[in-house]
Amino acid sequence: MKSAHEMPFGAAVQPAGGVRFALWAPGVARVDLELLESASAAPSPLSMQCNAAGWHTLHVAGARGGDRYRFRLPDGLAVPDPASRSNPDDVHATSEIIDPAAYRWRDAGWRGRPWAEAVIYELHIGSFTAEGSFDAAARRLEELADLGVTAIELMPLADFPGRRNWGYDGVLPFAPDASFGRPDDLKSFVDTAHALGLMVLIDVVYNHFGPDGNYLHAYCPSFFNAAHDTPWGAAINFDGECARNVRDFFLHNALYWVEEYHADGLRMDAVHAIRDDSAESIVREICRALHEGPGRHRQVHVVLENEANSAALLARDCAGVPQAGTAQWNDDFHHAAHVLLTGETDGYYVGFATAPLQLLGRALAEGFVYQGESSPFHDGRARGEPSAALPPIAFVSSLQTHDQVGNRAFGERIAMLADPALLDGAYACLLLAPHVPMLFMGEEFDASTPFSFFCDFGGELARAVTVGRRAEFDRFPAFADPLVRERIPDPNDPATFEASKLHWSEREGGVHARRLAQVATLLALRHRHLVPRLGGRMHGGTHRVEGDLLRVQWTLADASRWHLWLHVGVDTTTVENRPPGATVYRLGADDIKHGAAHFAHGGVWVSLEAAGG
């Protein structure tokens, strides 16, 4: 089976032979195509045809897959193709013609999985294994499938400058970064995942380009809209003059990953940072294109990151079908749990410092904690929209992510910070609540390695990033001393990246094996008892806090009731009645006579009550 996504720009291998090149460059009158048969070959300049809309096109009969090319502007500047499918020698070098039909897919019978079955595992290809490649990551997938993971979420793959980056500094959105492997290696990774029953979601960044390697300003100023200012400068032009071509660029990018790479969906980074006043936002248009396109034939999902807590982007129709986003990363759950587990209240945790158990209960039962209330971290501004009517699977919850680990000064993971007994209980809440749980790579075995912020910039930009990274923490009391700030790892130091790579041998013993066993047990219970009851219409649950005991209840799609009780007090406690129904899981909680229940510190009790009681 062959797959290729057709788009109006870039280098497209033609069925009848040759390659069609197309570049939207309305800012210049002339563009030359320089075609090279190899990276070291002398270029053959060819003048491209230009129309009134600024499109420069050319068909070259003798071009073929594997050839290198670039565009030469009137001032002599040579630039890569912004729609390059491959840039083997990094973002400033020549692009490579890729014939997507050359890869033979093996997943013809794959139709995806329902979102209710999702258990997500977020990973960064470069630090997931010692080799840091698609091929090496693929060899680890069977272990994750055996654990109970059903979806892999890949941190951004778009070509970034250098060999080390989280991926959020990408500048060539269609080119998987060459440090991870060839485009066909990524396709093979997806093939392997599908053979194991694993979905693959790809993280995409549509709110900005990275600071190094973006040449669009040189020939296409219309790609940006100065009417909207962002932390990265003028916003990407989703709503100004000539916005249609810009919107199409990202619309095709979304379809490209799903159609040409057989991804099962996307995770859209920081959609709250996309500036777009259009009648239909680019976020909604992308979701619609995916649902009405590849989503007609298989399961396709879109996960949003949205600090604004816009419940409207997660709305369902009367049949329970998402009208835009399938789900959203629920940072509110993470923040409430983190405060409860660690006592930290700096930065954005300040909004969760008061009554964190109550806030965790609201996150579990209703999704968002902030549903229109004023937020202390946002200078008292209202944040969020009511979310209790949404189904629990509209929320992706986690105890750690690349953000929440990597944005710490030293990249510490939650197991290095939390009360161990409470952390055990928190994992039961995460994995046995009816929202969609997500684990960050290595979390399943309490990896001891940090996950730090790393990059590979050069010159003045590298120095600015190093200084800026350390300056981010000077407002925190723990980093008031400049000597302490100097200990924060340098993002550009290769050692910072190497230290962030997982040590897979840790899984085999001690506390690491214990956590792995707990996660495996909880996921097995989730798939057996909870997942079959999540597929229909649902809405949020209810919660209440009595002292140090949190009680949450949901009515599931089959009208049964799911109960989760968590005790966070240091002293043990006895409650008059145990949770109703059949016990699914107990941790630090015991039956005692007369139907009462005894809870230790971090104790959890989960039960399933049949419909009708």
Side-chain angles (χ1 to χ4, degrees):
M1 183 174 67
K2 304 175 182 179
S3 295
H5 173 69
E6 294 184 9
M7 49 195 181
F9 34 71
V13 176
Q14 301 299 291
V19 176
R20 183 230 64 206
F21 298 88
L23 176 71
W24 185 48
V28 295
R30 175 188 173 94
V31 174
D32 285 343
L33 170 71
E34 294 187 341
L35 192 63
L36 306 86
E37 292 184 0
S38 68
S40 59
S44 303
L46 300 167
S47 180
M48 303 181 76
Q49 299 169 353
C50 179
N51 67 16
W55 283 98
H56 299 254
T57 59
L58 186 67
H59 179 270
V60 181
R64 59 185 180 179
D67 289 351
R68 302 293 187 91
Y69 68 103
R70 63 192 177 207
F71 301 113
R72 181 77 63 175
L73 306 182
D75 64 359
L77 180 65
V79 299
D81 185 353
S84 166
R85 281 177 161 92
S86 175
N87 250 58
D89 300 315
D90 212 7
V91 297
H92 300 287
T94 55
S95 301
E96 179 188 11
I97 299 170
I98 295 293
D99 181 1
Y103 182 83
R104 304 286 178 154
W105 284 92
R106 307 184 300 272
D107 66 349
W110 177 257
R111 294 294 179 268
R113 297 186 68 152
W115 186 244
E117 298 177 0
V119 173
I120 304 174
Y121 188 93
E122 186 195 19
L123 67 87
H124 176 266
I125 289 291
S127 53
F128 181 58
T129 64
E131 301 90 336
S133 67
F134 293 125
D135 286 347
R139 292 193 289 272
R140 288 286 178 186
L141 292 181
E142 187 172 4
E143 295 166 273
L144 299 180
D146 289 345
L147 181 66
V149 169
T150 63
I152 305 299
E153 183 177 303
L154 298 176
M155 288 176 64
L157 305 175
D159 202 9
F160 50 75
R163 296 188 58 79
R164 306 177 300 276
N165 199 286
W166 278 11
Y168 299 93
D169 292 314
V171 293
L172 297 176
F174 293 82
D177 194 86
S179 65
F180 302 149
R182 298 280 300 159
D184 281 3
D185 296 331
L186 173 56
K187 293 173 183 178
S188 181
F189 174 94
V190 175
D191 250 338
T192 301
H194 287 169
L196 293 166
L198 295 168
M199 297 182 278
V200 177
L201 308 175
I202 296 178
D203 197 341
V204 292
V205 182
Y206 295 159
N207 50 58
H208 76 288
F209 290 93
D212 181 27
N214 172 26
Y215 291 95
L216 285 163
H217 289 281
Y219 57 84
C220 192
S222 301
F223 213 94
F224 302 92
N225 185 356
H228 295 307
D229 191 32
T230 77
W232 309 283
I236 294 173
N237 180 19
F238 289 117
D239 59 359
E241 188 177 355
C242 300
R244 184 66 264 166
N245 287 336
V246 179
R247 293 171 74 94
D248 285 346
F249 183 85
F250 291 98
L251 197 67
H252 278 285
N253 185 256
L255 290 165
Y256 166 81
W257 291 118
V258 174
E259 293 181 346
E260 195 157 305
Y261 281 90
H262 289 202
D264 299 279
L266 307 175
R267 182 261 188 187
M268 293 182 65
D269 176 67
V271 299
H272 57 270
I274 295 175
R275 303 298 302 275
D276 183 6
D277 295 332
S278 305
E280 181 182 41
S281 72
I282 187 62
V283 174
R284 287 187 178 275
E285 187 176 3
I286 286 172
C287 291
R288 179 168 57 82
L290 290 170
H291 295 323
E292 294 178 358
R296 291 178 301 161
H297 311 293
R298 59 186 173 100
Q299 300 275 351
V300 175
H301 311 293
V302 182
V303 179
L304 307 177
E305 181 195 19
N306 187 3
E307 189 180 11
N309 281 3
S310 302
L313 285 173
L314 305 173
R316 268 61 177 167
D317 65 13
C318 59
V321 177
Q323 297 302 282
T326 311
Q328 178 181 314
W329 272 25
N330 190 8
D331 282 348
D332 283 6
F333 173 92
H334 171 273
H335 296 352
H338 188 91
V339 171
L340 193 67
L341 291 169
T342 69
E344 294 182 348
T345 57
D346 289 333
Y348 42 64
Y349 296 127
V350 67
F352 300 82
T354 303
L357 185 61
Q358 184 72 248
L359 300 184
L360 178 64
R362 191 180 201 198
L364 283 165
E366 301 180 17
F368 299 142
V369 168
Y370 283 90
Q371 301 181 30
E373 294 82 1
S374 64
S375 165
F377 182 67
H378 296 86
D379 300 321
R381 296 191 303 273
R383 173 173 174 253
E385 298 171 353
S387 60
L390 293 170
I393 59 172
F395 303 96
V396 175
S397 295
S398 60
L399 296 178
Q400 50 192 333
T401 68
H402 75 271
D403 268 332
Q404 311 305 342
V405 180
N407 286 332
R408 300 184 65 84
F410 296 104
E412 306 101 322
R413 294 169 175 268
I414 190 65
M416 306 171 188
L417 306 167
D419 177 316
L422 280 185
L423 186 57
D424 287 346
Y427 274 112
C429 292
L430 174 69
L431 300 179
L432 291 181
H435 49 197
V436 170
M438 185 174 76
L439 300 168
F440 180 58
M441 63 178 198
E443 180 176 3
E444 74 278 17
F445 59 89
D446 279 354
S448 68
T449 50
F451 185 75
S452 298
F453 175 61
F454 49 78
C455 55
D456 186 18
F457 295 131
E460 191 57 40
L461 178 59
R463 288 187 289 274
V465 168
T466 297
V467 171
R469 171 67 174 172
R470 290 168 175 165
E472 288 177 16
F473 297 94
D474 61 6
R475 69 185 185 277
F476 296 102
F479 297 96
D481 186 342
L483 294 178
V484 176
R485 292 199 298 275
E486 286 297 312
R487 292 175 44 228
I488 296 174
D490 179 355
N492 285 285
D493 186 343
T496 302
F497 171 61
E498 292 298 326
S500 297
K501 294 194 174 192
L502 294 180
H503 297 160
W504 284 90
S505 60
E506 289 183 335
R507 293 162 52 102
E508 298 167 6
V511 296
H512 307 291
R514 176 184 170 276
R515 177 69 69 212
L516 189 64
Q518 185 200 18
V519 170
T521 295
L522 291 170
L523 287 180
L525 292 171
R526 178 184 184 85
H527 289 302
R528 184 181 313 134
H529 297 287
L530 185 55
V531 167
R533 297 175 168 86
L534 295 179
R537 293 275 297 165
M538 284 184 64
H539 52 75
T542 61
H543 76 285
R544 74 176 190 268
V545 173
E546 298 176 356
D548 293 319
L549 182 68
L550 169 65
R551 306 184 189 200
V552 190
Q553 174 186 305
W554 299 266
T555 300
L556 304 181
D558 65 352
S560 61
R561 287 177 289 277
W562 189 260
H563 301 269
L564 188 154
W565 292 15
L566 168 69
H567 179 248
V568 301
V570 175
D571 299 323
T572 57
T573 190
T574 300
V575 296
E576 183 176 344
N577 297 307
R578 47 156 282 176
T583 297
V584 173
Y585 180 76
R586 282 188 295 171
L587 174 71
D590 298 300
D591 260 323
I592 56 178
K593 60 183 180 179
H594 307 304
H598 186 74
F599 285 86
H601 179 52
V604 173
W605 194 313
V606 179
S607 66
L608 176 63
E609 183 183 8

